[in-house]
Amino acid sequence: PSEPISVASPDRGGDAMPPKKKRGLPPGALHHVERKYFKVLFCGEEFPAGAEETRKALEKHDAVGNCEFRFVACAREQVATEIVDADVAVPLMTKIDETLLAKAPILKLVLQFGVGLEGVDEEACTKRGILLARIPSEKTGNADSTAEMAVFLLLAGLRRVNQLAKSLTDRRLGEPITVQLKGKTVTIVGWGHIGKEVARRLRAFGCKLQAVRKSEWPKEEWDFLLYDEGVRPLDELKWIKNSDAVVLCCNQTKENMGMINDDFIGHMKPGAVLVNIARGGLFNREHVLRALDDGRLGYLASDVAWQEPVDPTDPLVAHERAYFTPHVGGVTDMSYQTMGAIVAKACASLQADPWMGETCVVGISPELRYMVDEIMIVNANLPAFPGVTGPCVDFEQCRKRCRC
């Protein structure tokens, strides 16, 4: 693999992290003697501020033993080469599959800079004993930032942002007539941390709120929403027919790929606004474009697209009643500084773990426990020993050897 590159100057070679005073070597930490560096790889050049914040945060950590941190941010096309000696990979928008993981013999952790892991093969990571994790949005301010973006996009759609710009260009005053949010019914699809933050912000506008999610509503949460939060829980998606606007905040899964199709739009009120701050894979692009053309869908405002970066000349993106932003819902100063610090702490904890060279998986040692409080490991049932294909069953032996 090539030498690490500077995030600020990706075209020139760079040095590893500045040398720092070495921390004491934990007993049994043979892994640190064997390798001179611990490599953190950002897989892609998208979201450059995230790489920069992580690099700055990692410089504040001291590596354990005869080792130093090495930070690399590369183009997607270079990931297959750079991942060969990587200890931690941050996938961003790069697909991490079995073929790529086969080239990463010492990879220990795949940690997303955010929440989206739909591009990572969880089964392949688990089979290879690689931890797969994400950073929950409520830990970082990402949920708040994305919820603010949802409000912005909703207002952009109701107030016909493209038409406003055209009127300004054409020097026409007092047109077009737009839609007031107060008194309108807004349905939130997905009731995770982001969906809840969207609801909290929209209450101040005096609109009627509804929420729908895939799993069944617990009775206690149903009552809490209806009476304390002023949000009407829906048990079926068909009830969106009374909505003036629908805001997508749900996760993208194999089951809901392309869910925004003719059937979904057919359940919406004709001329309603659709906002997507979730994932572009939820769109059936052809169906959405057709609905905009024939007026069934009044306006589309989205921070995500079916392919990213999206082609600005695409007929859907360039549609007069569509408004797209470049996946920046969570890209704010607070959320990125916090996530960069969390990724750096996770890497430092992993590098300092004295057991990580003894087994095929990373155990939860004392050094790692506080890391697990800030990231969510999604494949906890890793094989305990080399050659074992399933999760550990001998918990006592597992605790002694793997510390998990």
Side-chain angles (χ1 to χ4, degrees), residues 345-388:
K345 284 176 64 177
C347 294
S349 299
L350 194 58
Q351 191 274 333
D353 177 50
W355 293 275
M356 71 179 178
E358 298 181 6
T359 66
C360 68
V361 300
V362 181
I364 308 302
S365 72
E367 289 274 2
L368 283 175
R369 283 179 187 146
Y370 77 92
M371 176 184 94
V372 177
D373 290 337
E374 296 180 321
I375 67 175
M376 178 181 291
I377 298 174
V378 301
N379 62 340
N381 289 329
L382 293 173
F385 305 108
V388 177

mmCIF file of all heavy atoms in Angstrom, residues 345-388:
data_model
loop_
_atom_site.group_PDB
_atom_site.id
_atom_site.type_symbol
_atom_site.label_atom_id
_atom_site.label_comp_id
_atom_site.label_asym_id
_atom_site.label_seq_id
_atom_site.Cartn_x
_atom_site.Cartn_y
_atom_site.Cartn_z
ATOM 1 N N LYS A 345 -11.174 7.812 19.403
ATOM 2 C CA LYS A 345 -11.141 7.096 20.686
ATOM 3 C C LYS A 345 -11.298 5.595 20.483
ATOM 4 O O LYS A 345 -10.633 4.799 21.151
ATOM 5 C CB LYS A 345 -12.244 7.617 21.613
ATOM 6 C CG LYS A 345 -11.947 8.967 22.236
ATOM 7 C CD LYS A 345 -13.119 9.462 23.054
ATOM 8 C CE LYS A 345 -13.407 8.584 24.240
ATOM 9 N NZ LYS A 345 -14.505 9.123 25.080
ATOM 10 N N ALA A 346 -12.180 5.214 19.566
ATOM 11 C CA ALA A 346 -12.365 3.792 19.287
ATOM 12 C C ALA A 346 -11.081 3.180 18.744
ATOM 13 O O ALA A 346 -10.686 2.076 19.142
ATOM 14 C CB ALA A 346 -13.514 3.600 18.302
ATOM 15 N N CYS A 347 -10.412 3.885 17.843
ATOM 16 C CA CYS A 347 -9.158 3.387 17.273
ATOM 17 C C CYS A 347 -8.068 3.289 18.341
ATOM 18 O O CYS A 347 -7.325 2.306 18.399
ATOM 19 C CB CYS A 347 -8.704 4.295 16.139
ATOM 20 S SG CYS A 347 -9.799 4.280 14.707
ATOM 21 N N ALA A 348 -7.971 4.306 19.182
ATOM 22 C CA ALA A 348 -6.967 4.294 20.242
ATOM 23 C C ALA A 348 -7.232 3.170 21.236
ATOM 24 O O ALA A 348 -6.301 2.508 21.715
ATOM 25 C CB ALA A 348 -6.952 5.645 20.959
ATOM 26 N N SER A 349 -8.498 2.935 21.554
ATOM 27 C CA SER A 349 -8.853 1.850 22.470
ATOM 28 C C SER A 349 -8.504 0.497 21.869
ATOM 29 O O SER A 349 -7.980 -0.384 22.539
ATOM 30 C CB SER A 349 -10.350 1.899 22.782
ATOM 31 O OG SER A 349 -10.698 3.110 23.401
ATOM 32 N N LEU A 350 -8.804 0.349 20.593
ATOM 33 C CA LEU A 350 -8.524 -0.908 19.906
ATOM 34 C C LEU A 350 -7.030 -1.162 19.829
ATOM 35 O O LEU A 350 -6.553 -2.281 20.051
ATOM 36 C CB LEU A 350 -9.128 -0.844 18.507
ATOM 37 C CG LEU A 350 -9.246 -2.143 17.716
ATOM 38 C CD1 LEU A 350 -10.074 -3.170 18.472
ATOM 39 C CD2 LEU A 350 -9.863 -1.863 16.366
ATOM 40 N N GLN A 351 -6.257 -0.136 19.532
ATOM 41 C CA GLN A 351 -4.806 -0.293 19.440
ATOM 42 C C GLN A 351 -4.198 -0.610 20.800
ATOM 43 O O GLN A 351 -3.223 -1.353 20.897
ATOM 44 C CB GLN A 351 -4.178 0.980 18.879
ATOM 45 C CG GLN A 351 -2.722 0.858 18.481
ATOM 46 C CD GLN A 351 -1.768 1.101 19.643
ATOM 47 O OE1 GLN A 351 -2.091 1.811 20.589
ATOM 48 N NE2 GLN A 351 -0.582 0.506 19.546
ATOM 49 N N ALA A 352 -4.799 -0.097 21.855
ATOM 50 C CA ALA A 352 -4.258 -0.297 23.193
ATOM 51 C C ALA A 352 -4.687 -1.614 23.817
ATOM 52 O O ALA A 352 -4.191 -1.980 24.876
ATOM 53 C CB ALA A 352 -4.698 0.854 24.103
ATOM 54 N N ASP A 353 -5.590 -2.339 23.190
ATOM 55 C CA ASP A 353 -6.134 -3.563 23.779
ATOM 56 C C ASP A 353 -5.087 -4.664 23.795
ATOM 57 O O ASP A 353 -4.636 -5.107 22.743
ATOM 58 C CB ASP A 353 -7.360 -4.014 22.982
ATOM 59 C CG ASP A 353 -7.912 -5.319 23.524
ATOM 60 O OD1 ASP A 353 -8.119 -5.403 24.734
ATOM 61 O OD2 ASP A 353 -8.095 -6.243 22.717
ATOM 62 N N PRO A 354 -4.668 -5.157 24.956
ATOM 63 C CA PRO A 354 -3.586 -6.133 25.034
ATOM 64 C C PRO A 354 -3.970 -7.533 24.574
ATOM 65 O O PRO A 354 -3.114 -8.371 24.408
ATOM 66 C CB PRO A 354 -3.234 -6.139 26.526
ATOM 67 C CG PRO A 354 -4.483 -5.711 27.206
ATOM 68 C CD PRO A 354 -5.118 -4.724 26.277
ATOM 69 N N TRP A 355 -5.267 -7.785 24.327
ATOM 70 C CA TRP A 355 -5.685 -9.129 23.928
ATOM 71 C C TRP A 355 -5.933 -9.250 22.430
ATOM 72 O O TRP A 355 -6.239 -10.318 21.957
ATOM 73 C CB TRP A 355 -6.952 -9.534 24.680
ATOM 74 C CG TRP A 355 -6.711 -9.706 26.136
ATOM 75 C CD1 TRP A 355 -6.258 -10.818 26.781
ATOM 76 C CD2 TRP A 355 -6.874 -8.713 27.143
ATOM 77 N NE1 TRP A 355 -6.136 -10.581 28.122
ATOM 78 C CE2 TRP A 355 -6.518 -9.292 28.387
ATOM 79 C CE3 TRP A 355 -7.296 -7.378 27.127
ATOM 80 C CZ2 TRP A 355 -6.576 -8.592 29.583
ATOM 81 C CZ3 TRP A 355 -7.353 -6.687 28.323
ATOM 82 C CH2 TRP A 355 -6.985 -7.292 29.528
ATOM 83 N N MET A 356 -5.823 -8.192 21.689
ATOM 84 C CA MET A 356 -6.316 -8.249 20.327
ATOM 85 C C MET A 356 -5.450 -9.105 19.413
ATOM 86 O O MET A 356 -5.883 -9.501 18.347
ATOM 87 C CB MET A 356 -6.483 -6.853 19.743
ATOM 88 C CG MET A 356 -5.218 -6.123 19.442
ATOM 89 S SD MET A 356 -5.618 -4.508 18.736
ATOM 90 C CE MET A 356 -3.973 -3.845 18.525
ATOM 91 N N GLY A 357 -4.230 -9.431 19.817
ATOM 92 C CA GLY A 357 -3.402 -10.292 19.001
ATOM 93 C C GLY A 357 -3.532 -11.759 19.341
ATOM 94 O O GLY A 357 -2.932 -12.600 18.704
ATOM 95 N N GLU A 358 -4.337 -12.115 20.373
ATOM 96 C CA GLU A 358 -4.387 -13.487 20.848
ATOM 97 C C GLU A 358 -5.525 -14.297 20.254
ATOM 98 O O GLU A 358 -5.498 -15.517 20.277
ATOM 99 C CB GLU A 358 -4.527 -13.489 22.377
ATOM 100 C CG GLU A 358 -3.346 -12.847 23.085
ATOM 101 C CD GLU A 358 -3.522 -12.891 24.597
ATOM 102 O OE1 GLU A 358 -4.494 -13.522 25.045
ATOM 103 O OE2 GLU A 358 -2.705 -12.307 25.297
ATOM 104 N N THR A 359 -6.586 -13.648 19.778
ATOM 105 C CA THR A 359 -7.736 -14.373 19.262
ATOM 106 C C THR A 359 -8.115 -13.820 17.895
ATOM 107 O O THR A 359 -7.582 -12.817 17.444
ATOM 108 C CB THR A 359 -8.945 -14.224 20.205
ATOM 109 O OG1 THR A 359 -9.357 -12.866 20.197
ATOM 110 C CG2 THR A 359 -8.603 -14.644 21.620
ATOM 111 N N CYS A 360 -9.077 -14.478 17.281
ATOM 112 C CA CYS A 360 -9.495 -14.022 15.958
ATOM 113 C C CYS A 360 -10.491 -12.881 16.042
ATOM 114 O O CYS A 360 -10.915 -12.358 15.031
ATOM 115 C CB CYS A 360 -10.110 -15.169 15.166
ATOM 116 S SG CYS A 360 -11.687 -15.741 15.817
ATOM 117 N N VAL A 361 -10.903 -12.538 17.237
ATOM 118 C CA VAL A 361 -11.814 -11.413 17.401
ATOM 119 C C VAL A 361 -11.261 -10.473 18.440
ATOM 120 O O VAL A 361 -10.376 -10.813 19.207
ATOM 121 C CB VAL A 361 -13.239 -11.852 17.830
ATOM 122 C CG1 VAL A 361 -13.850 -12.772 16.814
ATOM 123 C CG2 VAL A 361 -13.226 -12.506 19.201
ATOM 124 N N VAL A 362 -11.801 -9.277 18.480
ATOM 125 C CA VAL A 362 -11.409 -8.308 19.486
ATOM 126 C C VAL A 362 -12.321 -8.467 20.688
ATOM 127 O O VAL A 362 -13.532 -8.335 20.567
ATOM 128 C CB VAL A 362 -11.525 -6.877 18.932
ATOM 129 C CG1 VAL A 362 -11.100 -5.873 19.987
ATOM 130 C CG2 VAL A 362 -10.657 -6.740 17.698
ATOM 131 N N GLY A 363 -11.771 -8.771 21.827
ATOM 132 C CA GLY A 363 -12.593 -8.896 23.027
ATOM 133 C C GLY A 363 -12.835 -7.547 23.665
ATOM 134 O O GLY A 363 -12.178 -6.561 23.360
ATOM 135 N N ILE A 364 -13.777 -7.515 24.591
ATOM 136 C CA ILE A 364 -14.082 -6.268 25.274
ATOM 137 C C ILE A 364 -13.198 -6.178 26.505
ATOM 138 O O ILE A 364 -13.556 -6.596 27.595
ATOM 139 C CB ILE A 364 -15.573 -6.201 25.668
ATOM 140 C CG1 ILE A 364 -16.444 -6.479 24.456
ATOM 141 C CG2 ILE A 364 -15.909 -4.842 26.254
ATOM 142 C CD1 ILE A 364 -16.219 -5.524 23.305
ATOM 143 N N SER A 365 -12.013 -5.711 26.319
ATOM 144 C CA SER A 365 -11.088 -5.541 27.433
ATOM 145 C C SER A 365 -11.438 -4.260 28.180
ATOM 146 O O SER A 365 -12.250 -3.463 27.713
ATOM 147 C CB SER A 365 -9.664 -5.426 26.887
ATOM 148 O OG SER A 365 -9.505 -4.178 26.255
ATOM 149 N N PRO A 366 -10.819 -4.025 29.337
ATOM 150 C CA PRO A 366 -11.087 -2.760 30.039
ATOM 151 C C PRO A 366 -10.816 -1.540 29.183
ATOM 152 O O PRO A 366 -11.504 -0.538 29.284
ATOM 153 C CB PRO A 366 -10.123 -2.844 31.237
ATOM 154 C CG PRO A 366 -9.949 -4.303 31.484
ATOM 155 C CD PRO A 366 -9.964 -4.936 30.118
ATOM 156 N N GLU A 367 -9.813 -1.613 28.298
ATOM 157 C CA GLU A 367 -9.501 -0.481 27.431
ATOM 158 C C GLU A 367 -10.635 -0.190 26.454
ATOM 159 O O GLU A 367 -10.819 0.926 25.998
ATOM 160 C CB GLU A 367 -8.212 -0.758 26.640
ATOM 161 C CG GLU A 367 -6.944 -0.745 27.477
ATOM 162 C CD GLU A 367 -6.392 0.662 27.620
ATOM 163 O OE1 GLU A 367 -7.016 1.603 27.103
ATOM 164 O OE2 GLU A 367 -5.339 0.807 28.251
ATOM 165 N N LEU A 368 -11.413 -1.248 26.106
ATOM 166 C CA LEU A 368 -12.430 -1.103 25.081
ATOM 167 C C LEU A 368 -13.809 -0.799 25.631
ATOM 168 O O LEU A 368 -14.696 -0.420 24.894
ATOM 169 C CB LEU A 368 -12.516 -2.382 24.247
ATOM 170 C CG LEU A 368 -11.419 -2.587 23.213
ATOM 171 C CD1 LEU A 368 -11.578 -3.949 22.566
ATOM 172 C CD2 LEU A 368 -11.474 -1.519 22.156
ATOM 173 N N ARG A 369 -14.031 -0.965 26.917
ATOM 174 C CA ARG A 369 -15.393 -0.861 27.427
ATOM 175 C C ARG A 369 -15.998 0.512 27.217
ATOM 176 O O ARG A 369 -17.169 0.641 26.888
ATOM 177 C CB ARG A 369 -15.414 -1.235 28.907
ATOM 178 C CG ARG A 369 -15.324 -2.753 29.096
ATOM 179 C CD ARG A 369 -15.323 -3.166 30.546
ATOM 180 N NE ARG A 369 -15.068 -4.605 30.638
ATOM 181 C CZ ARG A 369 -14.397 -5.176 31.623
ATOM 182 N NH1 ARG A 369 -13.908 -4.441 32.587
ATOM 183 N NH2 ARG A 369 -14.216 -6.471 31.633
ATOM 184 N N TYR A 370 -15.235 1.558 27.401
ATOM 185 C CA TYR A 370 -15.820 2.878 27.215
ATOM 186 C C TYR A 370 -16.055 3.170 25.735
ATOM 187 O O TYR A 370 -16.928 3.944 25.386
ATOM 188 C CB TYR A 370 -14.957 3.971 27.839
ATOM 189 C CG TYR A 370 -13.719 4.382 27.079
ATOM 190 C CD1 TYR A 370 -13.767 5.436 26.171
ATOM 191 C CD2 TYR A 370 -12.513 3.757 27.292
ATOM 192 C CE1 TYR A 370 -12.626 5.834 25.487
ATOM 193 C CE2 TYR A 370 -11.371 4.135 26.620
ATOM 194 C CZ TYR A 370 -11.435 5.181 25.719
ATOM 195 O OH TYR A 370 -10.321 5.561 25.042
ATOM 196 N N MET A 371 -15.317 2.484 24.853
ATOM 197 C CA MET A 371 -15.563 2.629 23.431
ATOM 198 C C MET A 371 -16.942 2.099 23.075
ATOM 199 O O MET A 371 -17.683 2.689 22.297
ATOM 200 C CB MET A 371 -14.502 1.869 22.641
ATOM 201 C CG MET A 371 -14.721 1.872 21.136
ATOM 202 S SD MET A 371 -13.516 0.868 20.247
ATOM 203 C CE MET A 371 -14.395 -0.679 20.114
ATOM 204 N N VAL A 372 -17.336 0.976 23.678
ATOM 205 C CA VAL A 372 -18.601 0.349 23.353
ATOM 206 C C VAL A 372 -19.771 1.204 23.824
ATOM 207 O O VAL A 372 -20.876 1.093 23.327
ATOM 208 C CB VAL A 372 -18.662 -1.070 23.952
ATOM 209 C CG1 VAL A 372 -20.003 -1.734 23.694
ATOM 210 C CG2 VAL A 372 -17.541 -1.923 23.368
ATOM 211 N N ASP A 373 -19.538 2.072 24.790
ATOM 212 C CA ASP A 373 -20.596 2.970 25.234
ATOM 213 C C ASP A 373 -20.912 4.031 24.190
ATOM 214 O O ASP A 373 -21.980 4.628 24.228
ATOM 215 C CB ASP A 373 -20.183 3.670 26.537
ATOM 216 C CG ASP A 373 -20.162 2.697 27.715
ATOM 217 O OD1 ASP A 373 -20.853 1.673 27.624
ATOM 218 O OD2 ASP A 373 -19.447 2.973 28.690
ATOM 219 N N GLU A 374 -20.007 4.302 23.263
ATOM 220 C CA GLU A 374 -20.193 5.383 22.296
ATOM 221 C C GLU A 374 -20.469 4.898 20.886
ATOM 222 O O GLU A 374 -20.940 5.660 20.057
ATOM 223 C CB GLU A 374 -18.949 6.279 22.299
ATOM 224 C CG GLU A 374 -18.736 6.981 23.634
ATOM 225 C CD GLU A 374 -17.496 7.854 23.627
ATOM 226 O OE1 GLU A 374 -16.484 7.432 23.035
ATOM 227 O OE2 GLU A 374 -17.544 8.936 24.199
ATOM 228 N N ILE A 375 -20.156 3.650 20.599
ATOM 229 C CA ILE A 375 -20.477 3.091 19.297
ATOM 230 C C ILE A 375 -21.392 1.891 19.505
ATOM 231 O O ILE A 375 -21.466 1.328 20.593
ATOM 232 C CB ILE A 375 -19.217 2.675 18.502
ATOM 233 C CG1 ILE A 375 -18.507 1.501 19.186
ATOM 234 C CG2 ILE A 375 -18.291 3.853 18.310
ATOM 235 C CD1 ILE A 375 -17.333 0.956 18.385
ATOM 236 N N MET A 376 -22.109 1.524 18.455
ATOM 237 C CA MET A 376 -23.004 0.363 18.540
ATOM 238 C C MET A 376 -22.447 -0.750 17.667
ATOM 239 O O MET A 376 -22.373 -0.625 16.451
ATOM 240 C CB MET A 376 -24.409 0.738 18.077
ATOM 241 C CG MET A 376 -25.392 -0.431 18.098
ATOM 242 S SD MET A 376 -27.042 0.040 17.529
ATOM 243 C CE MET A 376 -27.545 1.100 18.880
ATOM 244 N N ILE A 377 -22.029 -1.852 18.302
ATOM 245 C CA ILE A 377 -21.542 -3.013 17.572
ATOM 246 C C ILE A 377 -22.751 -3.811 17.110
ATOM 247 O O ILE A 377 -23.565 -4.248 17.922
ATOM 248 C CB ILE A 377 -20.611 -3.864 18.447
ATOM 249 C CG1 ILE A 377 -19.383 -3.040 18.855
ATOM 250 C CG2 ILE A 377 -20.184 -5.134 17.718
ATOM 251 C CD1 ILE A 377 -18.463 -3.727 19.833
ATOM 252 N N VAL A 378 -22.879 -4.003 15.823
ATOM 253 C CA VAL A 378 -24.094 -4.634 15.288
ATOM 254 C C VAL A 378 -23.944 -6.130 15.070
ATOM 255 O O VAL A 378 -24.938 -6.814 14.825
ATOM 256 C CB VAL A 378 -24.522 -3.963 13.968
ATOM 257 C CG1 VAL A 378 -24.785 -2.496 14.177
ATOM 258 C CG2 VAL A 378 -23.479 -4.170 12.883
ATOM 259 N N ASN A 379 -22.723 -6.656 15.144
ATOM 260 C CA ASN A 379 -22.526 -8.106 14.995
ATOM 261 C C ASN A 379 -21.827 -8.652 16.227
ATOM 262 O O ASN A 379 -20.710 -9.145 16.174
ATOM 263 C CB ASN A 379 -21.740 -8.433 13.724
ATOM 264 C CG ASN A 379 -20.335 -7.842 13.729
ATOM 265 O OD1 ASN A 379 -20.044 -6.909 14.480
ATOM 266 N ND2 ASN A 379 -19.459 -8.384 12.902
ATOM 267 N N ALA A 380 -22.505 -8.587 17.362
ATOM 268 C CA ALA A 380 -21.891 -8.958 18.633
ATOM 269 C C ALA A 380 -21.576 -10.443 18.716
ATOM 270 O O ALA A 380 -20.642 -10.845 19.390
ATOM 271 C CB ALA A 380 -22.811 -8.571 19.789
ATOM 272 N N ASN A 381 -22.338 -11.304 18.030
ATOM 273 C CA ASN A 381 -22.119 -12.741 18.135
ATOM 274 C C ASN A 381 -21.051 -13.217 17.155
ATOM 275 O O ASN A 381 -21.318 -13.930 16.195
ATOM 276 C CB ASN A 381 -23.427 -13.492 17.877
ATOM 277 C CG ASN A 381 -24.395 -13.321 19.014
ATOM 278 O OD1 ASN A 381 -23.993 -13.177 20.159
ATOM 279 N ND2 ASN A 381 -25.673 -13.310 18.702
ATOM 280 N N LEU A 382 -19.827 -12.816 17.411
ATOM 281 C CA LEU A 382 -18.715 -13.235 16.568
ATOM 282 C C LEU A 382 -18.211 -14.598 17.008
ATOM 283 O O LEU A 382 -18.364 -14.989 18.166
ATOM 284 C CB LEU A 382 -17.565 -12.234 16.677
ATOM 285 C CG LEU A 382 -17.828 -10.835 16.107
ATOM 286 C CD1 LEU A 382 -16.658 -9.934 16.455
ATOM 287 C CD2 LEU A 382 -18.016 -10.898 14.619
ATOM 288 N N PRO A 383 -17.576 -15.374 16.115
ATOM 289 C CA PRO A 383 -16.972 -16.644 16.536
ATOM 290 C C PRO A 383 -15.867 -16.381 17.546
ATOM 291 O O PRO A 383 -15.094 -15.435 17.405
ATOM 292 C CB PRO A 383 -16.431 -17.229 15.233
ATOM 293 C CG PRO A 383 -16.325 -16.079 14.297
ATOM 294 C CD PRO A 383 -17.413 -15.127 14.684
ATOM 295 N N ALA A 384 -15.792 -17.218 18.567
ATOM 296 C CA ALA A 384 -14.854 -16.973 19.655
ATOM 297 C C ALA A 384 -13.434 -17.420 19.327
ATOM 298 O O ALA A 384 -12.479 -16.815 19.760
ATOM 299 C CB ALA A 384 -15.329 -17.691 20.914
ATOM 300 N N PHE A 385 -13.293 -18.486 18.559
ATOM 301 C CA PHE A 385 -11.973 -19.038 18.318
ATOM 302 C C PHE A 385 -11.777 -19.320 16.832
ATOM 303 O O PHE A 385 -12.746 -19.538 16.108
ATOM 304 C CB PHE A 385 -11.782 -20.331 19.115
ATOM 305 C CG PHE A 385 -12.036 -20.164 20.577
ATOM 306 C CD1 PHE A 385 -13.160 -20.694 21.155
ATOM 307 C CD2 PHE A 385 -11.162 -19.424 21.362
ATOM 308 C CE1 PHE A 385 -13.414 -20.525 22.508
ATOM 309 C CE2 PHE A 385 -11.401 -19.244 22.710
ATOM 310 C CZ PHE A 385 -12.533 -19.800 23.280
ATOM 311 N N PRO A 386 -10.532 -19.344 16.378
ATOM 312 C CA PRO A 386 -10.281 -19.626 14.963
ATOM 313 C C PRO A 386 -10.900 -20.958 14.552
ATOM 314 O O PRO A 386 -10.802 -21.952 15.266
ATOM 315 C CB PRO A 386 -8.749 -19.672 14.885
ATOM 316 C CG PRO A 386 -8.293 -18.823 16.036
ATOM 317 C CD PRO A 386 -9.312 -19.038 17.117
ATOM 318 N N GLY A 387 -11.568 -20.968 13.417
ATOM 319 C CA GLY A 387 -12.176 -22.189 12.919
ATOM 320 C C GLY A 387 -13.591 -22.415 13.385
ATOM 321 O O GLY A 387 -14.295 -23.279 12.865
ATOM 322 N N VAL A 388 -14.040 -21.657 14.375
ATOM 323 C CA VAL A 388 -15.406 -21.799 14.860
ATOM 324 C C VAL A 388 -16.303 -20.906 14.014
ATOM 325 O O VAL A 388 -16.031 -19.727 13.827
ATOM 326 C CB VAL A 388 -15.507 -21.389 16.346
ATOM 327 C CG1 VAL A 388 -16.960 -21.469 16.813
ATOM 328 C CG2 VAL A 388 -14.620 -22.287 17.188
#
